[in-house]
Amino acid sequence: MGRHSCSVKQKLRKGLWSPEEDEKLCNYITNFGIGSWSSVPKLAGLQRCGKSCRLRWINYLRPDLKRGMFSQDEEDKIISLHQVLGNRWAQIAAQLPGRTDNEIKNFWNSSLKKKLMKQGIDPNTHKPLKENQIIKDEENCTIKTSMLQIPPLNEIANGQFTESKQVFDLLFVSDFQSNSNPSEYNSEVLAQYHDHQSEFENNQNYVFCSASNVTKLEHGQMTETDFGSSSTSRMSSSNSSNMCSNQNTAGIQINGMSENSEALSWDIENKMESLFQYPYIGIKNEELKSSPSHERDQLHGNSTSGDFMSNYPLSSLTEEFKWA
DNA sequence: AAACATCGCAACCGCTCCAAC
DNA sequence: CGTTGGAGCGGTTGCGATGTT
C-alpha cells in the first residue's frame, strides 16, 4: 500500500495552477529559496501540498527552463542517451540544460517514439524492429541478438576462441542491450559467467573488461582499445571508489588496467560494482548527489572540458559491439 | 456546425530511497 | 534496528486544443 496522496490528508487544491498560485510560489522561492518543500505551501500561502509545489517549480516556474520546441541536437541527444540509459528521464534531463525530466518524458512518448517507429527502429531497444528479438539458444549456450553475438561462454573459457576477437564485458553488454535494466537475461549471463569464472580468469587469451576499453593478451603483450575519444588516464585497481572523480568526461575507464594481467581478473561483485561507477551506464543518482558539485558537473558533462556526446560517441560505441 | 478522435502537456499517483529520530 | 516522513523518480491520467469526419 502506498502512502496517501498529500491532497487527501487535507482539503487541498488539485489540478491546474492559477496565475495567482504561480505568482505566490514564485515570490516565495525568489525571496526565501527552496528549503523544505513540505513547509513551502504554508509559508507561501498556498492550498497545495509540498509535492505539488515542488513539481510546479521544477517543471514550469524555474527561471532557467528552456521553453519551446526541442532542437535537432537535443532530439539526437535524447535518443542517444535513451539508448544507454533507458527511461531514466532524470538522468537524461541532467544532460540537457533547461529541460525537465517530465518534458523529455512527454516528448519521448508523444513524438520521438513514433518517429523511431517510423524509421523502423524499436524505441525500446533501438534496434531494427524485426530483428530485436533476443534469441537464446539453450543447446549450445549461445546468446545472440541482431547486433551482437556472444560466443558460447564455456568455449571462451576453454580457450577455443583463439582468433583475434574482442571479448566485451558480458554484463555490460547485457545491460546495454536491455537498456540498463537488470533482467532475466542478465541473470542468465551472470549465472553462466559464474559457472566459468575461474576458467575465465585463467584464460590468457581473453580479458573481460568494462565499457570503454577492451583488452586482449596477444603473445603475452597487452593491447587495448578505447571507445572514448579522449586520452585515458589509468585507474588504480585498488581504489575503485574514487573512479568517478578521477575519470575524464569520457567517463569510462577500465578498472585495474595495468601491465599486470592479474589486475584484470575481477570477481562478479567487483564487476558489478565497477559497472555502476560509470555515470552514463547506470550510475546511481545517489552517487552523483554525494559527489562534490564540480565532480557532478563533470559526470553530467557540464564541464568546460567537453560535453558528454562529443566524448562518448554512441554511434561508434554500438558499432564496436559487433562481434565480427 | 457538431460529434468524435487524437494529441500533447501538466499534474497526479504510487513507489523507492534515505536521513533523522 | 525499526519507524517515519520528505524528496525524488517514473508511470499514468486527465483535460484542453486541435484535427477529422
Side-chain angles (χ1 to χ4, degrees):
Chain A
M1 276 280 279
R3 258 168 243 270
H4 280 255
S5 168
C6 51
S7 55
V8 173
K9 290 177 192 167
Q10 302 163 43
K11 192 70 188 168
L12 297 175
R13 267 179 60 82
K14 285 172 71 174
L16 293 178
W17 280 64
S18 69
E20 292 75 27
E21 287 178 309
D22 281 347
E23 198 186 341
K24 278 182 181 175
L25 183 57
C26 254
N27 285 341
Y28 175 79
I29 292 177
T30 305
N31 291 328
F32 304 104
I34 301 165
S36 161
W37 281 113
S38 57
S39 60
V40 165
K42 194 180 170 188
L43 296 169
L46 290 160
Q47 298 288 97
R48 296 272 184 175
C49 69
K51 203 171 176 177
S52 183
C53 293
R54 176 186 160 269
L55 214 63
R56 184 63 179 171
W57 175 257
I58 288 172
N59 288 335
Y60 197 81
L61 297 173
R62 238 169 58 194
D64 60 325
L65 283 182
K66 193 195 284 179
R67 315 291 307 178
M69 301 276 287
F70 282 82
S71 67
Q72 188 57 49
D73 184 48
E74 287 177 312
E75 196 177 307
D76 294 343
K77 217 165 179 177
I78 292 167
I79 293 170
S80 298
L81 287 164
H82 187 273
Q83 193 171 359
V84 180
L85 297 168
N87 294 356
R88 292 172 183 167
W89 306 115
Q91 286 185 41
I92 293 172
Q95 304 294 332
L96 291 143
R99 300 293 188 183
T100 70
D101 53 353
N102 208 32
E103 198 177 8
I104 293 168
K105 180 171 61 183
N106 283 334
F107 181 53
W108 176 265
N109 286 327
S110 64
S111 174
L112 285 183
K113 239 178 170 176
K114 289 168 196 166
K115 204 169 188 174
L116 288 176
M117 296 279 270
K118 269 185 188 170
Q119 292 170 5
I121 296 166
D122 185 331
N124 296 315
T125 62
H126 294 264
K127 293 175 211 161
L129 271 170
K130 51 186 172 185
E131 297 179 75
N132 67 348
Q133 199 66 26
I134 294 170
I135 304 155
K136 295 178 187 175
D137 187 339
E138 297 292 340
E139 258 187 41
N140 61 8
C141 206
T142 301
I143 299 165
K144 298 173 183 175
T145 75
S146 60
M147 133 179 158
L148 170 86
Q149 291 183 8
I150 300 170
L153 298 186
N154 56 341
E155 293 184 23
I156 296 171
N158 293 338
Q160 290 173 24
F161 278 83
T162 52
E163 306 95 328
S164 56
K165 283 185 177 178
Q166 296 169 329
V167 178
F168 293 82
D169 185 313
L170 300 177
L171 296 170
F172 167 75
V173 170
S174 173
D175 265 343
F176 189 85
Q177 290 177 319
S178 58
N179 287 326
S180 303
N181 287 326
S183 62
E184 292 172 11
Y185 183 32
N186 257 0
S187 313
E188 189 178 327
V189 173
L190 191 66
Q192 290 181 44
Y193 190 96
H194 234 310
D195 288 343
H196 299 290
Q197 189 185 342
S198 61
E199 295 161 86
F200 288 145
E201 287 171 356
N202 292 330
N203 186 338
Q204 295 299 292
N205 287 320
Y206 291 91
V207 174
F208 291 81
C209 64
S210 230
S212 70
N213 291 330
V214 173
T215 301
K216 188 162 69 89
L217 278 175
E218 276 182 315
H219 310 298
Q221 295 292 313
M222 186 78 73
T223 60
E224 64 177 287
T225 57
D226 180 21
F227 289 170
S229 58
S230 315
S231 63
T232 58
S233 59
R234 293 180 178 186
M235 292 293 116
S236 156
S237 61
S238 60
N239 192 18
S240 62
S241 63
N242 287 331
M243 289 180 77
C244 288
S245 59
N246 287 340
Q247 66 198 352
N248 57 32
T249 36
I252 300 170
Q253 297 289 328
I254 186 167
N255 182 11
M257 178 76 75
S258 77
E259 303 307 315
N260 177 2
S261 64
E262 284 172 27
L264 292 156
S265 302
W266 314 317
D267 58 25
I268 292 291
E269 285 73 27
N270 283 341
K271 280 174 56 59
M272 291 304 283
E273 187 189 351
S274 60
L275 279 177
F276 279 97
Q277 306 285 344
Y278 305 129
Y280 305 115
I281 314 292
I283 191 167
K284 294 173 183 170
N285 255 355
E286 291 69 25
E287 292 175 22
L288 291 178
K289 276 185 255 174
S290 60
S291 311
S293 58
H294 68 277
E295 289 178 17
R296 286 202 300 271
D297 285 347
Q298 272 207 319
L299 293 171
H300 277 137
N302 295 338
S303 72
T304 51
S305 60
D307 71 13
F308 163 55
M309 292 312 297
S310 62
N311 281 322
Y312 187 44
L314 291 167
S315 53
S316 66
L317 179 64
T318 48
E319 200 58 30
E320 290 279 358
F321 274 101
K322 290 176 182 170
W323 263 96

